[in-house]
Amino acid sequence: MASAGAFPLPNLQSKHRDLSFRFFFSDFLVQLGPPKPSPSKCPCRDWKFSVRTNAVYTEASRGPAVAPWKEKGNSSSDLDDISILNERIRKELGKRQGLRAGNKAVNSTEVEKYINTVKQQQQLGLQKLKGDNKDKGGIGYKVDPYTLESGDYVVHKKVGIGRFVAIKYDVSKSSSDPTEYVFIEYADGMAKLPVKQAARMLYRYNLPSETRRPRALSKLNDTSAWERRRVKGKVAVQKMVVDLMELYLHRLKQKRLSYRRTPAMAEFVSQFPYDPTQDQKQAFIDVEKDLTERETPMDRLICGDVGFGKTEVALRAIFIVVSAGKQAMVLAPTIVLAKQHFDVISERFCSYPHISIGLLCRFQKSEKEEHLSSIKNGDLDIIVGTHALLGNRVVYNNLGLLIVDEEQRFGVKQKEKIASMKTSVDVLTLSATPIPRTLYLALTGFRDASLISTPPPERVPIKTHLSAYSKEKVLSAIKFELDRGGQVFYVLPRIKDLEEVMEFLEQSFSHVAIAIAHGKQYSKQLEETMKMFSLGDIKILICTNIVENGLNIQNANTIIIQEVQQFGLAQLYQLRGRVGRADKEAYAYLFYPDKSLLSEQALERLAAIEEYRDLGQGFQLAERDMGIRGFGSIFGEQQSGDIGNVGVDLFFEMLFESLSKVDEHRVISVSYKDAQFDVNITPRLSSEYISNINNPVELINEAERAAESDIWSLMQFTEQLRRQYGKEPHSMEILLKKLYVRRMAADLGIRRIYASGKKVVMTTNMSKKVFKLMTEAMTSDIHRNSLTYTGAEIKAELLLELPDEQLLNWIFQCLAELYASLPALVKY
């Protein structure tokens, strides 16, 4: 995108001038002049440039021009070295805010402090949240060999993926006593490991998808393929860590005044009609400290099971923020839940008529325009709604707090919008089963979390029944609930099946009020149905998972879920939580069609939901869900592929290891002006190229300023140059490559590059561990094998001494390979 105050590229104009220029500037020299006349050449056939300057680039919207200097057969669409590098930069770095022009660097002292905090919290986070003993140390992902079954896939850290066969006694060569060995099948043979050694080296091979089988087993006699897969996984881990660090480091740059503690807060707290549990009290304290003692925006996860009091924590946060004159937004995934939040908030704030509350969703079409205006003018203090609150038309007057309920229910674009807001306002996320990303952040110190695991004293566990579908069982369960004066949820995964179930139930319960609810109904119809069900006028509600989140209907204590294999684990847990909200015993009936039709993953989900039937186990359930679903929803499809290289367990261990050693993978860049490229190449630009540029000196000036700014600006400059003037001649490409080399060198912490005979030497501040990570990730064996690290120098031994132009190309390609690892490194 264009930067304010930047210059467009010079316009095309045909001008031949027999001129010679010599300009002196404060820190660069430009020489421009024609060569000696030749009878066979135009006097301005070749111009000589030697330039050192600075640049910024702005994007223009012109189509490609005809380039008269283009060599025959040289298409502008050809992928040259620069185009390939640009494409890689766009793919790897395009979404990384830290590399965009105009992003201010974070103070290095703040970064050091943050890195140390992450390392400490990463060590303590899991124990704190799960209540484990601190003396247990870190997190273990290695598998207990005795828990393996024949045919299970395992990963050996050094050898790769194999198939577990059995544990048997065998006699080793060095001893006559029989020893227990783990036998593992590989592609080219059988391996055996002593059980104790296997317990230290083996991981279970899980994949983030339905497919459990690896692409292929590894080879015992050739571990190179496995080593490449392992390194790819390691680099992917590093990229994830740095992505997360940059997001949260960006938050450090955001400052806000801390909120004041007021006597009104004590009065608001006293109006809470229940005695809070100990966990609730701690969550109240955590949130209050975030708001009143910190000057950086809050980003806290409140993880509590259904009905354990998360909403009250949010209400107290809202009161603190709104009392200071700021707005609070409550974001819910469904209309039904948004309406319920609105009702709860309205009731809780009824003693404060000066605090205005509004609901924005498709229930409120007639009031929408009025609400939008009130939000913009600051007349609404608390705004409740669905994803409509994230639309472009919603302009907040002074937003201070964002409450997100069940973030996992929002779509990708909505999550991105939520993430962008997290850098500027206080955020409180409520969830009973956190999405794996949220859980992971909480466990590793990138995010604060409060766990509410204690149930209210009157709550009774829900009795869960899992079985094959039976009409008799369905009717019996409903009759039992109706006979004791209760109400029933009947949930199906597809809207088209609701009518059929309603016809079936009406035959058996002809005098009972039955209704249908789903998200495609007219808003007034849905609102009226939910209102009648909550009042007890409707006894059986046949619905989709629109009722999944937050509904609190005290008299509904039986839920029937049909086609249970179609639901995710978090969905099932949330749906089951719709009942048992009072002191009456509740029942959840989960029906599947036929176990033989279910996938292995679906069977695991069902086993987990039955295993964690006790109250307050949503957090442990989310952890189990992470193991089943893997990391696809955490970091995207590309990273899911990287995880597939090594399996979830080894990948997760690498992730925690990377976090604990994050400061060891740090690149300290140098100034562009300090990056020297001592290879003497002075390209001569053709007269056709010169004659079609109005101001060639300014063009080169622009290029240098773009290079000095950052790699993104240089990339944009080059691409716009080609769009406006066509593919540059070979001589201009050489000049651009020199700029790219210096820019990449500066970013990599390389101060000087020079050649001596067959050797290329790069003086650098790079650490040996960073060099090792970079070279391991290189795809070119030629470049990787030629590089060595000695102290403050990276040296390359070439097979022969190259001419200057070929040497430039080799250095460009080598740095481009090293540069590909930059997203995996901390750059502050």
Side-chain angles (χ1 to χ4, degrees):
M1 294 296 295
S3 300
F7 299 101
L9 296 176
N11 292 323
L12 290 175
Q13 292 205 7
S14 297
K15 293 185 180 180
H16 261 202
R17 294 180 181 176
D18 188 10
L19 299 172
S20 178
F21 303 95
R22 185 175 180 84
F23 301 106
F24 289 95
F25 298 86
S26 60
D27 62 343
F28 56 87
L29 169 68
V30 179
Q31 292 186 52
L32 171 63
K36 293 179 181 179
S38 166
S40 62
K41 287 187 178 181
C42 170
C44 54
R45 172 70 181 171
D46 292 308
W47 294 72
K48 185 174 181 180
F49 284 86
S50 176
V51 182
R52 294 198 58 162
T53 178
N54 307 313
V56 174
Y57 162 70
T58 181
E59 200 171 302
S61 57
R62 271 179 208 177
V66 177
W69 52 83
K70 279 173 57 177
E71 297 169 12
K72 189 175 180 180
N74 184 13
S75 169
S76 61
S77 62
D78 290 346
L79 284 179
D80 59 298
D81 287 344
I82 292 176
S83 297
I84 292 169
L85 176 62
N86 286 353
E87 185 61 33
R88 181 188 288 175
I89 291 170
R90 176 167 281 106
K91 183 178 178 182
E92 293 282 358
L93 313 180
K95 294 183 180 180
R96 299 168 61 81
Q97 294 298 319
L99 289 167
R100 296 288 185 131
N103 237 346
K104 296 177 182 177
V106 181
N107 182 283
S108 59
T109 306
E110 288 181 321
V111 176
E112 291 286 356
K113 182 181 176 182
Y114 176 75
I115 288 174
N116 289 332
T117 302
V118 167
K119 290 174 67 177
Q120 292 167 11
Q121 288 187 305
Q122 186 271 323
Q123 296 295 327
L124 301 175
L126 189 70
Q127 289 80 3
K128 177 184 175 184
L129 288 167
K130 291 180 67 178
D132 292 347
N133 294 325
K134 292 185 179 181
D135 58 2
K136 288 184 180 179
I139 304 159
Y141 292 95
K142 298 177 182 68
V143 68
D144 179 355
Y146 293 106
T147 64
L148 292 170
E149 296 180 8
S150 182
D152 285 352
Y153 292 99
V154 293
V155 180
H156 188 288
K157 215 169 185 177
K158 294 184 178 178
V159 180
I161 301 169
R163 187 185 292 111
F164 172 75
V165 177
I167 295 178
K168 295 180 181 179
Y169 280 96
D170 201 1
V171 179
S172 66
K173 294 179 182 178
S174 58
S175 172
S176 58
D177 297 327
T179 306
E180 265 192 313
Y181 285 93
V182 176
F183 285 81
I184 304 169
E185 177 189 356
Y186 287 93
D188 56 350
M190 188 77 70
K192 65 177 186 179
L193 284 172
V195 169
K196 286 185 178 179
Q197 185 180 343
R200 295 194 306 269
M201 300 297 291
L202 291 183
Y203 303 79
R204 192 182 294 275
Y205 183 80
N206 293 322
L207 282 180
S209 65
E210 294 273 351
T211 308
R212 294 279 165 177
R213 294 172 62 87
R215 291 192 294 269
L217 297 181
S218 302
K219 293 182 179 180
L220 286 169
N221 298 316
D222 181 12
T223 59
S224 59
W226 163 249
E227 185 62 20
R228 285 194 296 272
R229 292 175 72 170
R230 189 188 65 79
V231 167
K232 191 174 180 183
K234 182 179 177 182
V235 172
V237 162
Q238 281 294 126
K239 287 179 181 177
M240 290 181 187
V241 171
V242 172
D243 281 344
L244 293 170
M245 280 198 66
E246 291 202 346
L247 173 64
Y248 287 91
L249 280 169
H250 184 64
R251 290 180 66 83
L252 290 177
K253 294 187 287 183
Q254 313 304 317
K255 299 294 181 184
R256 59 137 171 86
L257 294 174
S258 57
Y259 293 94
R260 288 175 50 246
R261 286 187 171 95
T262 63
M265 182 63 192
E267 182 187 341
F268 182 81
V269 168
S270 67
Q271 295 170 8
F272 185 52
Y274 305 101
D275 292 327
T277 62
Q278 196 59 43
D279 288 344
Q280 255 188 315
K281 288 179 182 176
Q282 187 57 52
F284 296 151
I285 293 169
D286 291 341
V287 171
E288 189 175 351
K289 282 186 174 180
D290 287 346
L291 293 172
T292 61
E293 296 181 11
R294 290 185 180 181
E295 293 186 348
T296 54
M298 170 180 70
D299 184 16
R300 181 168 290 275
L301 165 69
I302 304 295
C303 180
D305 223 324
V306 288
F308 277 29
K310 301 185 296 295
T311 304
E312 177 61 20
V313 179
L315 291 173
R316 296 188 185 187
I318 290 171
F319 186 85
I320 292 173
V321 171
V322 171
S323 298
K326 293 202 170 187
Q327 293 172 305
M329 185 208 321
V330 180
L331 190 61
T334 65
I335 297 170
V336 173
L337 183 53
K339 180 68 166 62
Q340 181 163 301
H341 276 311
F342 175 75
D343 293 340
V344 170
I345 293 169
S346 298
E347 183 181 349
R348 189 74 168 85
F349 282 82
C350 64
S351 303
Y352 301 89
H354 63 284
I355 295 176
S356 56
I357 307 162
L359 175 64
L360 189 67
C361 63
R362 63 185 177 92
F363 277 173
Q364 310 293 318
K365 283 185 180 178
S366 59
E367 302 168 20
K368 185 175 181 180
E369 294 304 321
E370 182 185 342
H371 280 349
L372 289 174
S373 176
S374 298
I375 293 169
K376 186 175 182 179
N377 297 331
D379 296 332
L380 270 181
D381 300 303
I382 305 170
I383 305 101
V384 185
T386 58
H387 62 274
L389 294 178
L390 301 173
N392 294 330
R393 292 190 64 202
V394 185
V395 180
Y396 296 92
N397 180 274
N398 190 16
L399 185 64
L401 176 66
L402 167 63
I403 307 283
V404 185
D405 197 0
E406 300 300 343
E407 187 178 353
Q408 74 271 18
R409 294 291 308 279
F410 292 97
V412 173
K413 289 191 176 180
Q414 292 154 2
K415 286 178 184 174
E416 287 177 357
K417 179 77 181 225
I418 293 168
S420 69
M421 297 177 78
K422 285 183 178 182
T423 59
S424 56
V425 300
D426 292 288
V427 179
L428 200 58
T429 303
L430 312 179
S431 188
T433 51
I435 53 175
R437 178 187 176 88
T438 308
L439 177 66
Y440 156 66
L441 292 174
L443 295 184
T444 53
F446 279 108
R447 185 174 189 178
D448 297 315
S450 300
L451 178 60
I452 304 176
S453 58
T454 311
E458 70 278 3
R459 289 293 296 276
V460 180
I462 302 163
K463 288 195 171 181
T464 305
H465 301 275
L466 177 66
S467 67
Y469 176 76
S470 159
K471 288 184 178 180
E472 291 74 21
K473 288 181 181 178
V474 168
L475 294 176
S476 174
I478 294 175
K479 186 175 184 302
F480 174 81
E481 185 60 46
L482 294 177
D483 286 348
R484 64 175 185 165
Q487 294 166 269
V488 178
F489 288 103
Y490 197 124
V491 184
L492 295 104
R494 292 178 293 268
I495 294 174
K496 66 178 183 179
D497 298 329
L498 301 181
E499 292 285 353
E500 184 181 336
V501 170
M502 187 167 183
E503 289 176 12
F504 161 63
L505 293 182
E506 283 178 335
Q507 292 174 6
S508 302
F509 304 101
S510 56
H511 300 295
V512 175
I514 305 173
I516 285 176
H518 58 79
K520 295 292 178 68
Q521 288 177 319
Y522 290 114
S523 55
K524 285 295 180 186
Q525 181 187 358
L526 179 59
E527 182 181 16
E528 186 62 26
T529 300
M530 298 310 300
K531 182 179 179 181
M532 291 177 67
F533 187 64
S534 64
L535 292 173
D537 297 335
I538 292 171
K539 299 299 181 183
I540 303 173
L541 184 67
I542 305 168
C543 54
T544 59
N545 64 333
I546 192 172
V547 300
E548 177 184 328
N549 298 107
L551 276 182
N552 185 3
I553 298 175
Q554 301 278 318
N555 197 42
N557 284 296
T558 291
I559 185 166
I560 294 167
I561 306 174
Q562 195 173 317
E563 299 288 336
V564 68
Q565 77 283 357
Q566 299 288 342
F567 295 95
L569 192 53
Q571 283 181 309
L572 290 175
Y573 199 81
Q574 291 282 7
L575 285 168
R576 191 177 66 170
R578 294 313 99 218
V579 297
R581 308 299 288 256
D583 54 359
K584 190 183 290 187
E585 191 165 48
Y587 297 87
Y589 297 89
L590 315 182
F591 292 113
Y592 52 85
D594 185 339
K595 274 197 176 181
S596 63
L597 302 176
L598 301 185
S599 67
E600 183 182 350
Q601 191 178 31
L603 289 171
E604 282 194 32
R605 280 201 203 107
L606 301 186
I609 197 82
E610 206 171 28
E611 179 182 344
Y612 294 111
R613 64 177 65 186
D614 291 337
L615 286 168
Q617 292 194 311
F619 190 84
Q620 289 88 338
L621 189 73
E623 187 181 46
R624 173 71 174 268
D625 194 23
M626 184 187 287
I628 295 173
R629 283 193 293 150
F631 285 67
S633 62
I634 313 179
F635 300 106
E637 291 304 314
Q638 181 183 350
Q639 285 82 0
S640 290
D642 294 326
I643 294 159
N645 285 317
V646 296
V648 168
D649 288 357
L650 177 54
F651 193 89
F652 208 9
E653 183 174 272
M654 291 165 112
L655 195 56
F656 274 86
E657 185 181 345
S658 176
L659 284 164
S660 64
K661 299 178 180 177
V662 69
D663 54 338
E664 295 179 5
H665 295 105
R666 186 173 178 183
V667 166
I668 302 172
S669 61
V670 300
S671 164
Y672 177 80
K673 292 180 179 178
D674 292 336
Q676 300 177 35
F677 180 57
D678 294 340
V679 175
N680 187 24
I681 303 176
T682 309
R684 295 178 178 273
L685 300 184
S686 66
S687 59
E688 289 92 347
Y689 198 60
I690 296 297
S691 63
N692 281 280
I693 296 173
N694 185 41
N695 192 339
V697 175
E698 181 57 27
L699 178 74
I700 307 304
N701 209 331
E702 287 281 347
E704 188 84 16
R705 286 203 301 271
E708 186 173 351
S709 177
D710 56 38
I711 193 76
W712 194 262
S713 298
L714 179 57
M715 182 183 88
Q716 288 182 308
F717 172 88
T718 304
E719 290 177 346
Q720 177 60 14
L721 178 73
R722 291 176 172 185
R723 279 194 295 269
Q724 190 165 341
Y725 294 152
K727 174 70 171 70
E728 72 279 351
H730 181 65
S731 53
M732 184 64 184
E733 184 180 347
I734 290 174
L735 191 147
L736 288 172
K737 279 187 175 180
K738 289 180 69 175
L739 298 177
Y740 269 94
V741 164
R742 285 187 64 200
R743 180 67 262 168
M744 288 190 287
D747 290 343
L748 292 167
I750 296 171
R751 292 186 176 277
R752 185 186 175 207
I753 302 173
Y754 64 94
S756 177
K758 294 190 293 183
K759 284 186 179 179
V760 176
V761 182
M762 308 178 200
T763 58
T764 180
N765 58 29
M766 191 184 297
S767 71
K768 190 170 184 178
K769 287 188 177 180
V770 168
F771 173 77
K772 185 173 185 290
L773 179 73
M774 283 188 164
T775 50
E776 281 180 341
M778 292 176 82
T779 57
S780 168
D781 292 337
I782 295 173
H783 292 104
R784 180 176 55 251
N785 295 336
S786 66
L787 297 178
T788 57
Y789 179 90
T790 54
E793 291 184 335
I794 298 171
K795 294 181 179 178
E797 186 76 42
L798 307 182
L799 295 175
L800 68 161
E801 187 174 347
L802 296 176
D804 288 343
E805 192 175 311
Q806 291 182 30
L807 182 63
L808 171 65
N809 289 334
W810 190 94
I811 293 170
F812 178 93
Q813 291 165 3
C814 182
L815 290 181
E817 285 273 324
L818 291 171
Y819 206 82
S821 300
L822 204 58
L825 298 160
V826 182
K827 296 167 288 300
Y828 297 97

